[in-house]
């Protein structure tokens, strides 16, 4: 069983992949660095190029703009919270445009021409910054999804394992906190999770990819309180050693009562919860039952490990 | 029902506990007629196995009569007389299908705990810590037997309990220890620990064709039992230097295979070395004292086999790896895959090739378990093996 990065299908759903911001924040940072250095080193020329050299203390304004740009550069090149810093760049662009607007209204003709050109350049940069900020914000939103990967080897063929999973109604037999899955038509299903206080939380999901004996991908329908995606893939182990079952899950943890229910569904440590589920899955598909002992009457569950019942028979009714 | 419970270090108590229930469809409940105390129970008694809990029912060597079966148990009926193997095994995972029942991949619900200590989890075992499943044991009036369609063997002859009870553990464990030695004609097999497991290893080595068997222990009574019942030559390690004597007995070659039937609480004749390992154990720098194992490795002939059936719990120190590697030794070990040996060993008992009851020195009642543990631990009254009748 493992959760390290391994081979993944080429066509993985975007939700299942940890997003990378790529070179965008670095390029923005370098752009800021260039403008900043120029404005601080040769403030008079920069102010002239922008058609603002008529203003009193134009050098000081250019240096201030340069200092702000250097700040952006440092923040963006640090790589932390690139989306937020991209938006502050947009804010800076707005300041620059309003300064240029001032120059356009008040300057002489030649200066107005320079100001107009500068406005064009800054406008283009602004458009670029907005696009970059929107992109980085989306990446960050995907980054906030919780992703879990776990795997186990079972002594069954991929076809047998696939059939067991394809009948989604089987999942509550080994998924600890799942109350039921009601299977509807067209690959749709309704998932019910036990929530605190005897209530339950539902969502609807659909199967979006179904390759018999190979893999199965499902996704919650739009509008659910708990957007989530899951995939399970089945790979035969050479030499008749069964099937590697690999599970990938991603979900957006919500707040409130629903959030608490989902937190319970996935456990304190979501990876551990899924590994426990897979262990029980192996027990069910290989032995026909969830293995129980007097110390762990509920069966495998890392949450119960530290608060074991003594290994002596339990008083009361049959558990199974 | 009455059951012998672990209540802390050096304390067991026979207490009233609830009767076991069927928890799964492949379970059975057995009314126990005979049960025994294993040397490895002393590791629990002495507090060396982690993850014990106050109130745990002890015991993994037991037999009795089936009184209840789950819906999926089709091979047993109420009233059947059965011996129950100590490792719990599902019968359907890759390990079980290949006969490695003591490393069943499914029978330990607390596998996560075992993984923390051992990397991967072995099978669950009755009454042997929560790390190995948290299963109630068989030093009791009744026991729940999971996967009853795979483990228990039916005894249909008129063989007495005492003749078949040890099929649950010590006889097959000793037998597997000998089997792992790949015994060839002319082989000399040395066995550290002349307790019941060692004695069965010696008897089995003989059955498998060993030329000579050598027993190493410090208790004259145990050495005598070994000598009389298995024809072993004996070495009392408190009186002589074992390596030197073994070199002499084998004209310099060393035994062809060495069996460690001692495990984690071995003893060394030098009080300084003993104190060193006990000290490290006390501050948890090592969990097991490996004197016997060290000596078995150093004694073994070049390219020989060291077979470890003594129980270890965690980590050892000063292991002679250089000797093992440079001299092409093979190290083999394992909790016994009892289910594999039940039928062939029962056949040997039936044919009269061996009567395992020779190890018994004490017959007591379940209610006397606390006294039995004391006698067995301290080797009082020349105690070798205690059987508790229920």
């Amino acid at each position: 069983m493992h959760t390290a990065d391994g081979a993944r299908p080429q066509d993985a759903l975007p939700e299942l992949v940890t997003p990378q911001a790529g070179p965008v924040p670095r390029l923005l940072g370098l752009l800021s660095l260039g403008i900043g250095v120029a404005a601080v080193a040769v403030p008079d020329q920069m102010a002239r190029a922008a058609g603002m050299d008529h203003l009193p203390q134009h050098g000081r304004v250019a240096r201030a703009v340069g200092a702000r740009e250097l700040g952006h550069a440092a923040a963006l090149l640090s790589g932390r919270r690139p989306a937020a810093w991209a938006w502050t760049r947009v804010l800076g662009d707005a300041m620059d445009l309003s300064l240029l607007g001032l120059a356009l209204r008040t300057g002489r003709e030649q200066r107005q021409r320079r100001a107009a050109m500068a406005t064009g350049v800054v406008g283009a940069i602004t458009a670029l910054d907005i696009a970059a900020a929107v992109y980085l914000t989306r990446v960050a939103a995907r980054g906030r999804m919780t992703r879990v990967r776990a795997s186990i080897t079972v002594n069954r063929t991929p076809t047998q394992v696939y059939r067991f999973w394809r009948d989604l109604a089987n999942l509550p037999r080994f998924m600890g906190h799942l109350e039921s899955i009601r299977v509807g038509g067209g690959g749709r299903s309704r998932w019910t999770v036990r929530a605190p206080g005897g209530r339950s939380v539902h969502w609807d999901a659909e199967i979006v990819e179904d390759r018999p004996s190979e893999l199965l991908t499902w996704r919650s329908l739009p509008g659910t309180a708990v957007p989530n995606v899951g995939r399970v893939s089945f790979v035969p182990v050479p030499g008749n050693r069964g099937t590697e079952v690999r599970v990938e899950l991603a979900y957006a943890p919500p707040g409130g009562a629903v959030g608490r229910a989902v937190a319970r569904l996935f456990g304190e440590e979501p990876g551990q919860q899924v590994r426990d589920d897979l262990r029980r899955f192996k027990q069910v598909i290989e032995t026909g039952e969830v293995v129980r002992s007097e110390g762990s009457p509920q069966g495998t569950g890392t949450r119960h490990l530290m608060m074991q019942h003594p290994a002596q028979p339990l008083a009361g009714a049959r558990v199974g | 029902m009455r059951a012998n419970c672990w209540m802390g270090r050096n304390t067991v108590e026979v207490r009233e506990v609830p009767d076991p229930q069927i928890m799964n469809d492949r379970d059975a409940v057995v009314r126990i007629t005979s049960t025994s105390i294993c040397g490895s129970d002393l590791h629990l008694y002495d507090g060396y196995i982690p993850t014990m809990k106050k109130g745990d029912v002890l015991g993994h060597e037991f037999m009795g009569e089936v009184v209840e079966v789950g819906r999926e148990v089709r091979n047993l009926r109420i009233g059947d007389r059965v011996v129950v193997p100590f490792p719990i095994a599902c019968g359907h995972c890759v390990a079980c299908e290949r006969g490695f029942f003591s490393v069943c991949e499914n029978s330990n619900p607390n596998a996560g705990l075992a993984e923390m200590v051992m990397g991967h989890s072995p099978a669950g075992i009755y009454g042997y810590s929560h790390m190995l499943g948290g299963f109630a044991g068989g030093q009791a009036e009744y026991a729940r037997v999971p996967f009853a369609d795979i483990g228990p063997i039916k005894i249909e002859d008129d063989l007495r309990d005492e003749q078949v009870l040890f099929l649950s553990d010590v006889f097959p464990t000793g037998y597997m220890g000998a089997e792992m030695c790949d015994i060839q004609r002319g082989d000399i097999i040395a066995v550290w620990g002349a307790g019941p497991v060692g004695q069965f290893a010696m008897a089995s080595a003989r059955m498998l064709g060993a030329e000579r068997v050598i027993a190493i222990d410090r208790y004259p009574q145990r050495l005598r039992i070994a000598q009389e019942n298995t024809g072993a030559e004996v070495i009392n390690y408190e009186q002589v230097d074992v390596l030197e004597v073994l070199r002499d007995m084998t004209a310099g070659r060393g035994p062809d295979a060495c069996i460690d039937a001692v495990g984690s609480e071995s003893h060394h004749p030098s009080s300084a070395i003993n104190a060193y390992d006990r000290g490290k154990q006390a501050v948890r720098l090592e969990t097991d004292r490996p004197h016997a194992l060290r000596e078995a490795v150093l004694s073994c002939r070049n390219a020989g086999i060291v077979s470890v059936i003594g129980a270890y719990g965690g980590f050892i120190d000063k292991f002679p790896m250089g000797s093992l590697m440079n001299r092409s030794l093979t190290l083999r070990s394992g909790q016994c895959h009892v289910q594999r040996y039940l039928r062939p060993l029962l056949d040997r008992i039936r044919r009269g090739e061996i009567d395992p009851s020779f190890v018994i020195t004490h017959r007591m009642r379940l209610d006397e378990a606390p006294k039995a543990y004391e006698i067995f631990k301290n080797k009082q009254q020349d105690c070798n093996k205690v059987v508790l009748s229920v």
Side-chain angles (χ1 to χ4, degrees):
Chain A
M1 212 183 282
H2 84 149
T3 48
D5 274 0
R8 57 168 65 247
Q10 289 300 304
D11 54 350
L13 289 182
E15 291 91 333
L16 292 174
V17 182
T18 305
Q20 302 292 332
V24 173
R26 199 160 162 270
L27 290 176
L28 289 181
L30 290 174
L31 183 64
S32 285
L33 188 64
I35 297 169
V37 167
V40 170
V42 286
D44 293 332
Q45 286 86 329
M46 284 296 278
R48 221 179 99 73
M52 304 206 300
D53 47 330
H54 65 294
L55 293 175
Q57 302 176 329
H58 60 259
R60 221 175 269 177
V61 172
R63 260 192 229 102
V65 168
R68 188 198 71 208
E69 287 302 310
L70 289 176
H72 280 152
L76 283 161
L77 292 174
S78 81
R80 256 172 279 163
R81 308 196 53 173
W85 289 109
W87 283 114
T88 64
R89 265 194 62 86
V90 173
L91 217 67
D93 293 335
M95 277 168 64
D96 293 351
L97 285 173
S98 50
L99 280 173
L100 286 165
L102 216 64
L104 276 173
R105 271 211 310 280
T106 58
R108 284 199 305 257
E109 198 177 317
Q110 212 183 357
R111 235 180 3 238
Q112 271 183 344
R113 219 173 20 248
R114 278 186 271 141
M117 272 177 62
T119 306
V121 170
V122 174
I125 290 176
T126 306
L128 202 73
D129 280 341
I130 290 174
V134 167
Y135 165 74
L136 289 173
T137 303
R138 280 198 189 140
V139 168
R142 276 205 279 128
R144 273 194 294 275
M145 287 192 95
T146 302
R147 274 173 206 78
V148 179
R149 280 150 54 68
S151 61
I152 200 163
T153 303
V154 299
N155 192 20
R156 289 284 181 273
T157 65
T159 306
Q160 289 170 317
V161 185
Y162 164 82
R163 278 197 195 126
F164 189 87
W165 276 82
R166 183 64 185 78
D167 182 2
L168 297 177
N170 275 329
L171 303 193
R173 288 178 68 188
F174 62 88
M175 288 189 175
H177 301 284
L178 204 52
E179 195 169 279
S180 67
I181 297 186
R182 215 177 61 227
V183 180
R188 301 231 164 158
S189 51
R190 164 152 279 221
W191 299 48
T192 305
V193 173
R194 269 180 283 271
R199 295 181 306 143
S200 48
V201 175
H202 317 270
W203 67 77
D204 293 313
E206 61 178 345
I207 289 177
V208 291
E209 201 178 8
D210 183 355
R211 290 194 238 147
S213 306
E214 217 178 299
L215 66 81
L216 207 54
T217 308
W218 62 95
R219 176 156 45 188
S220 58
L221 294 179
T224 168
V226 195
N228 67 86
V229 181
R231 158 176 285 151
V232 57
S233 54
F234 316 105
V235 180
V237 190
N240 240 343
R241 288 165 210 205
T243 301
E244 290 179 359
V245 179
R246 296 181 186 280
V247 171
E248 300 169 81
L249 293 174
Y251 62 97
V258 176
R260 282 196 297 279
V262 175
R264 236 188 98 189
L265 168 66
F266 292 101
E268 299 286 327
E269 211 270 85
Q272 191 59 60
Q273 187 70 53
V274 177
R275 281 194 291 278
D276 285 346
D277 284 346
L278 282 183
R279 241 197 264 274
R280 284 191 296 269
F281 157 68
K282 179 178 166 74
Q283 292 165 5
V284 168
I285 199 166
E286 289 185 358
T287 79
E289 58 195 35
V290 169
V291 178
R292 305 171 199 279
S293 70
E294 287 73 14
S296 287
Q298 306 305 321
T300 294
T302 305
R303 285 196 318 137
H304 318 301
L305 277 186
M306 299 305 159
M307 30 183 178
Q308 296 261 305
H309 184 272
Q312 63 173 239
L314 296 106
R318 175 184 165 135
V319 178
Chain B
M1 68 163 184
R2 310 282 289 159
N4 184 40
C5 301
W6 188 88
M7 300 303 288
R9 208 169 187 165
N10 289 315
T11 315
V12 295
E13 273 175 36
V14 177
R15 298 169 72 97
E16 193 64 35
V17 303
D19 288 342
Q21 315 254 351
I22 299 273
M23 291 166 90
N24 271 329
D25 291 341
R26 292 174 63 193
D27 291 353
V29 175
V30 170
R31 184 180 65 79
I32 294 165
T33 52
S34 294
T35 177
S36 52
I37 307 174
C38 180
S40 64
D41 285 329
L42 295 179
H43 304 324
L44 305 175
Y45 190 60
D46 295 340
Y48 285 116
I49 306 287
T51 71
M52 289 297 289
K53 215 176 154 75
K54 202 171 162 178
D56 288 352
V57 178
L58 296 175
H60 55 265
E61 299 179 355
F62 60 96
M63 62 178 296
E65 183 193 318
V66 175
V67 291
E68 200 183 344
V69 290
R71 269 188 307 229
E72 295 293 321
V73 181
R74 303 208 169 84
N75 57 321
L76 297 178
R77 284 167 197 274
I78 289 167
D80 281 349
R81 186 171 169 232
V82 291
V83 177
V84 180
F86 79 86
I88 300 168
C90 78
H92 299 295
C93 64
V94 168
C96 284
E97 280 186 356
R98 293 179 184 188
F100 296 107
F101 296 97
S102 76
V103 289
C104 169
E105 296 163 20
N106 288 313
S107 65
N108 183 359
N110 300 338
L113 265 180
E115 282 177 358
M116 286 180 213
V117 177
M118 296 187 250
H120 295 269
S121 174
I125 295 179
Y126 295 99
Y128 215 82
S129 84
H130 288 258
M131 175 172 86
L132 295 179
F135 290 96
Q139 285 162 10
E141 290 183 272
Y142 295 89
R144 178 180 73 100
V145 175
F147 303 127
D149 54 334
I150 293 296
I153 185 168
K154 257 193 273 189
I155 307 294
E156 284 153 319
D157 313 67
D158 54 0
L159 293 164
R160 288 174 292 120
D161 274 18
E162 291 185 354
Q163 291 175 287
V164 291
L165 171 61
F166 302 130
L167 284 172
S168 59
D169 180 354
V170 281
F171 181 20
T173 294
Y175 185 87
M176 187 170 113
E179 195 186 62
M180 288 193 291
C181 294
D182 275 350
I183 295 170
Q184 313 287 313
R185 220 181 75 114
D187 272 3
I188 302 174
I189 309 297
V191 181
W192 275 255
V197 168
Q199 290 157 4
F200 282 120
M202 296 169 207
S204 303
R206 277 259 181 257
M207 293 193 288
L208 292 169
E211 185 68 32
R212 292 163 67 191
V213 173
I214 301 167
I216 299 145
D217 206 306
R218 64 173 167 147
Y219 294 107
Q221 156 80 349
R222 297 188 154 201
L223 290 171
R224 194 184 53 72
I225 295 174
Q227 197 169 23
E228 284 174 5
N229 293 281
T230 75
E233 299 161 60
V234 300
I235 296 176
N236 186 326
Y237 68 83
E238 281 190 328
Q239 291 165 8
V240 294
D241 183 290
V242 173
L243 256 90
E244 206 172 290
V245 172
L246 283 174
R247 259 191 225 116
D248 183 56
M249 289 172 90
T250 59
R253 306 191 302 280
D256 298 282
C258 295
I259 298 175
D260 170 3
V262 177
S264 66
E265 291 184 74
S266 70
H267 169 268
H268 194 278
S270 149
S271 52
I273 295 181
N274 233 10
Y276 168 79
D277 272 295
R278 273 191 173 271
K280 295 198 75 164
Q281 207 169 14
V283 296
R284 295 290 185 261
L285 282 173
E286 61 179 0
T287 54
D288 307 68
R289 302 194 297 267
H291 306 306
L293 180 59
R294 287 179 193 138
E295 210 168 66
V297 169
L298 296 173
S299 304
C300 194
R301 74 146 157 86
N302 286 354
I305 294 170
V306 177
S307 162
V308 182
I309 47 175
Y312 288 84
F315 302 87
I316 59 169
D317 183 36
K318 304 282 185 297
F319 180 75
M321 193 62 209
S323 175
L324 185 91
M325 186 273 157
N326 287 288
R327 303 194 302 108
S328 293
L329 301 187
T330 300
L331 184 66
R332 286 188 177 164
S333 64
Q335 290 284 5
C336 184
H337 308 294
V338 177
Q339 284 82 342
R340 216 198 257 182
Y341 300 102
L342 287 171
R343 180 61 54 191
L345 293 186
L346 176 61
D347 288 346
R348 282 182 190 269
I349 296 170
R350 230 189 241 139
R351 291 197 297 265
E353 289 174 37
I354 185 169
D355 180 353
S357 63
F358 76 84
V359 300
I360 303 170
T361 52
H362 287 70
R363 294 168 174 87
M364 300 168 82
R365 305 273 315 158
L366 173 66
D367 284 334
E368 298 174 285
K371 191 172 154 216
Y373 269 74
E374 268 309 291
I375 293 172
F376 187 39
K377 172 181 171 159
N378 297 311
K379 313 291 180 285
Q380 292 161 2
Q381 307 165 15
D382 284 340
C383 183
N384 189 59
K385 185 75 177 175
V386 187
V387 172
L388 302 171
S389 56
V390 183

